[in-house]
Amino acid sequence: MLLLVTGCNQSSDQRDFERAAFSLPEGITETSGNGTVINSDPDDWRISPFFQGVVQIDPAYPNPVLSSNQVSLDVIITGTDAVSELIVYAYYGNNNVRPVFEDFRAPVPTGLTSLPLSPLDIARFRENPQGTYRIVLLDGNENVISYGDIRVE
């Protein structure tokens, strides 16, 4: 009975986390070009309940990013066979999402995987890319792993 209740709580926690992931951006974790955190947003780059202890995320850098540059998101996988595929979406509200990066390795190997993201792909409109955007990282089964906000200048 305890396992059933724990499983239900974890599923409920995951659903709550996923609801939060698909909400509009609020602030950013500011980072330098080498990944040093300058100012942290406590809502950015948290790990979902399903992936606690097997995945770590370093905040996206640099953030904010110029539209002519590249932003990196570092994913550290510590659990063997813990993650099947990595998919990054930009979320624009009202169920409007667009994939901006896909890594179809199954499973993704343990260790560091750096995901290169183009600000022009993240932006809702390439011709006017400036703005703050919600980025959502999922696995191949569409479970949210983490999310955070990136500002394109």
Side-chain angles (χ1 to χ4, degrees):
M1 181 71 167
L2 181 59
L3 288 175
L4 180 61
V5 171
T6 303
C8 289
N9 286 341
Q10 186 178 20
S11 293
S12 175
D13 291 346
Q14 181 70 17
R15 278 193 304 276
D16 292 345
F17 187 88
E18 291 182 0
R19 261 188 234 107
F22 289 98
S23 61
L24 294 176
E26 294 181 20
I28 64 168
T29 294
E30 292 182 60
T31 55
S32 68
N34 66 5
T36 302
V37 174
I38 298 166
N39 189 14
S40 183
D41 178 349
D43 192 45
D44 281 355
W45 312 116
R46 297 179 300 133
I47 304 298
S48 75
F50 281 0
F51 294 95
Q52 291 285 325
V54 295
V55 175
Q56 298 171 17
I57 304 288
D58 289 337
Y61 65 94
N63 195 9
V65 63
L66 296 175
S67 62
S68 58
N69 289 351
Q70 177 176 290
V71 63
S72 294
L73 180 61
D74 290 347
V75 179
I76 301 111
I77 299 175
T78 58
T80 305
D81 297 337
V83 179
S84 178
E85 304 177 14
L86 293 170
I87 304 164
V88 179
Y89 285 101
Y91 176 71
Y92 308 111
N94 296 323
N95 295 320
N96 186 2
V97 297
R98 179 173 59 223
V100 295
F101 182 87
E102 296 172 332
D103 179 341
F104 293 116
R105 293 179 291 171
V108 178
T110 58
L112 172 66
T113 298
S114 188
L115 309 179
L117 306 174
S118 166
L120 294 178
D121 290 339
I122 292 168
R124 187 166 187 182
F125 304 107
R126 293 177 71 88
E127 54 281 344
N128 187 17
Q130 293 76 19
T132 303
Y133 302 100
R134 172 64 46 99
I135 301 302
V136 183
L137 175 65
L138 298 96
D139 72 354
N141 295 317
E142 298 186 358
N143 296 305
V144 174
I145 298 171
S146 185
Y147 65 90
D149 302 326
I150 295 175
R151 182 176 303 134
V152 177
E153 298 183 334

